[in-house]
Amino acid sequence: MDAHRTVEAVWRIESTRLIAGLTRMVRGDVGLAEELAQDALVAALEQWPASGVPDNPGAWLMAIAKRRAIDHFRRRERLDRKHREMARDLRIAEELPDLDDHVGDDILRLMFIACHPVLSTEARVALTLRLLGGLTTEEIARAYLVAESTVAQRIVRAKKTLAAKRVSFELPSLPERLPSVLEVIYLIFNEGYAATAGDDLVRPALCREALRLGRILSELAPGEAEVHGLVALMDFQASRAAARVGPDGEMVLLLEQDRARWDHVLIGHGLAELRKVEELGRKPGPYALQAAIAACHARAHTAEATDWPRIAALYRVLAELTPTPVVELNRAVAVAMAFGPAVGLELVDSLVDEPAMRDYHLLPSVRGDLLVKLGRLDEARAEFERAAALTRNTRERTFLLGRAAAC
């Protein structure tokens, strides 16, 4: 591997803890921490091709970044008393033999800063992928099919907002801010698992990144049942990712998937995470309940062997906890599988006038599927065509138009 590729690989591994540690040192200034980390990256690109990769590249990058920080504060020393104090702290920190004692807490703090509720959802996603995922602005833009300049603006505005709001680098109360962090991680995963737009159904890189962040969080917060629930849910869903796509990139429905293509290592991880939820003895939250539903699919060796009555019952509990139209739609599918399409259609029809579902393509898609099972093909065709018109994903549109043509 050449030196530049080595630097890139090291950056992928080390950038999160590097930025997290630097953010603590500069007392929560995320923008400055990232600039210092980037300076260290540039130094590595300049020096490693000639001098070789150091034995501990992460420590090398941290040492360079800290020196840059000291230089930075020295330059401004005469202007700001506060910065003099920071420089003194950094000199003390440089004398510490090992920073690893802080790494876990630093990453957790950085995760809570990047997912802070003062930021918009789009900004939280972009900043998390940049700071914790180590993705470049270009990579984030490509993943979300938006202009690179848009992502860059979101990140810049997010940093300014955090600074203006004086967001602390202190670790907040977990119950207070954990839902925001989990929401961002699951948003990233979902965009990877079921792309909302573009030519691909699945974006595996986003799924992998969300899983990585979830696993880091589960190690840092082992007593939080919903963290394990989310990781389990992502494991189960990711296990089916390869089987969701046919040889030509076409969409394959869950019941028609080749279960031999499911990743049983991920299923094993998911079941282990679900056991941790049970061992904690808490009442299951939304992610743990969804994971329990996904586990029913994972445990079934064939589509026919799926325990649909249990899935319908779990959806009822989930609907009581999070009464959203999307959960109700999913419950309708489970009820239809357990008790017949007419019962499911009745539930779906109760959602037709929901404002939140007006442009949601899965409502007419599900309705069309149930109408096919009831032999009402003309109505089903119209529903599939409507669903195709609403989706922004090319593969999904092709699939839905194919179902319409088959009616």
Side-chain angles (χ1 to χ4, degrees):
M1 184 183 290
D2 63 42
H4 281 81
R5 287 178 62 193
T6 301
V7 172
E8 186 179 337
V10 169
W11 179 251
R12 288 279 190 206
I13 297 168
E14 299 290 346
S15 62
T16 298
R17 69 182 210 146
L18 184 62
I19 294 171
L22 289 166
T23 304
R24 173 172 55 81
M25 291 179 192
V26 298
R27 299 180 180 177
D29 189 336
V30 173
L32 177 57
E34 196 183 14
E35 284 178 22
L36 295 169
Q38 293 285 347
D39 284 349
L41 175 65
V42 171
L45 287 167
E46 290 172 348
Q47 296 180 35
W48 290 4
S51 63
V53 178
D55 292 337
N56 188 339
W60 189 96
L61 288 167
M62 181 62 86
I64 294 296
K66 283 197 298 184
R67 285 176 202 156
R68 296 286 193 273
I70 292 170
D71 292 343
H72 170 85
F73 288 123
R74 280 176 175 161
R75 282 197 299 272
R76 301 185 62 176
E77 198 169 22
R78 291 188 297 274
L79 302 176
D80 191 323
R81 180 181 297 276
K82 180 180 176 183
H83 285 172
R84 283 206 299 274
E85 293 170 0
M86 289 181 176
R88 186 172 61 247
D89 289 349
L90 282 165
R91 282 193 291 273
I92 294 169
E94 192 177 36
E95 294 167 3
L96 294 174
D98 191 355
L99 288 165
D100 283 351
D101 289 347
H102 300 283
V103 167
D105 285 349
D106 288 346
I107 292 174
L108 191 57
R109 288 188 182 99
L110 187 61
M111 200 174 279
F112 277 86
I113 287 178
C115 299
H116 198 286
V118 298
L119 304 177
S120 68
T121 299
E122 293 82 3
R124 279 186 269 164
V125 167
L127 199 59
T128 300
L129 288 173
R130 176 62 178 266
L131 298 180
L132 292 149
L135 272 63
T136 65
T137 305
E138 181 186 2
E139 287 170 328
I140 299 169
R142 195 164 58 239
Y144 279 85
L145 303 177
V146 295
E148 190 175 343
S149 59
T150 301
V151 173
Q153 286 169 5
R154 285 176 186 168
I155 291 172
V156 169
R157 281 199 296 266
K159 291 176 187 172
K160 286 182 178 176
T161 301
L162 291 173
K165 299 288 184 184
R166 298 180 181 277
V167 171
S168 168
F169 194 59
E170 297 304 312
L171 199 58
S173 162
L174 280 180
E176 177 192 343
R177 293 258 292 279
L178 191 59
S180 177
V181 175
L182 297 181
E183 178 192 3
V184 169
I185 293 174
Y186 197 41
L187 276 174
I188 293 169
F189 180 86
N190 263 337
E191 187 56 35
Y193 185 71
T196 53
D199 296 330
D200 297 318
L201 280 171
V202 180
R203 294 183 190 136
L206 284 177
C207 290
R208 287 195 297 271
E209 194 51 44
L211 265 171
R212 190 181 73 84
L213 293 172
R215 287 181 178 137
I216 289 173
L217 190 57
S218 73
E219 289 179 8
L220 298 176
E224 296 295 330
E226 275 294 83
V227 176
H228 297 299
L230 175 60
V231 175
L233 174 60
M234 293 191 296
D235 275 330
F236 290 135
Q237 291 184 332
S239 74
R240 303 197 297 258
R244 290 188 69 232
V245 182
D248 298 321
E250 72 274 20
M251 184 174 172
V252 182
L253 293 176
L254 173 63
L255 298 183
E256 296 164 2
Q257 288 174 10
D258 177 1
R259 298 186 180 218
R261 295 186 66 200
W262 287 6
D263 187 328
H264 290 274
V265 173
L266 282 174
I267 289 174
H269 286 162
L271 292 173
E273 289 291 328
L274 207 50
R275 280 195 293 276
K276 291 178 186 174
V277 174
E278 293 162 0
E279 287 165 5
L280 286 169
R282 314 263 175 79
K283 185 178 178 182
Y287 294 113
L289 282 169
Q290 290 177 80
I293 291 167
C296 291
H297 294 297
R299 290 187 176 111
H301 295 296
T302 63
E304 294 73 22
T306 306
D307 188 349
W308 287 106
R310 174 167 169 71
I311 292 175
L314 286 167
Y315 266 120
R316 176 178 286 280
V317 179
L318 181 62
E320 289 171 358
L321 200 61
T322 53
T324 68
V326 173
V327 170
E328 278 297 315
L329 182 63
N330 290 330
R331 186 168 82 85
V333 174
V335 166
M337 294 300 295
F339 308 111
V343 185
L345 185 61
E346 195 174 322
L347 287 175
V348 173
D349 285 347
S350 71
L351 300 169
V352 169
D353 294 328
E354 283 281 348
M357 304 295 273
R358 189 172 300 143
D359 298 321
Y360 189 52
H361 72 285
L362 290 181
L363 177 65
S365 175
V366 168
R367 196 164 187 278
D369 186 62
L370 296 177
L371 287 167
V372 167
K373 289 173 179 169
L374 291 168
R376 294 159 59 178
L377 299 185
D378 289 342
E379 294 172 78
R381 185 186 310 113
E383 291 296 314
F384 287 132
E385 287 172 350
R386 180 162 175 266
L390 289 173
T391 183
R392 292 187 295 133
N393 186 283
T394 308
R395 297 283 184 184
E396 200 166 17
R397 184 180 303 118
T398 302
F399 173 81
L400 289 165
L401 289 174
R403 293 211 68 184
C407 289

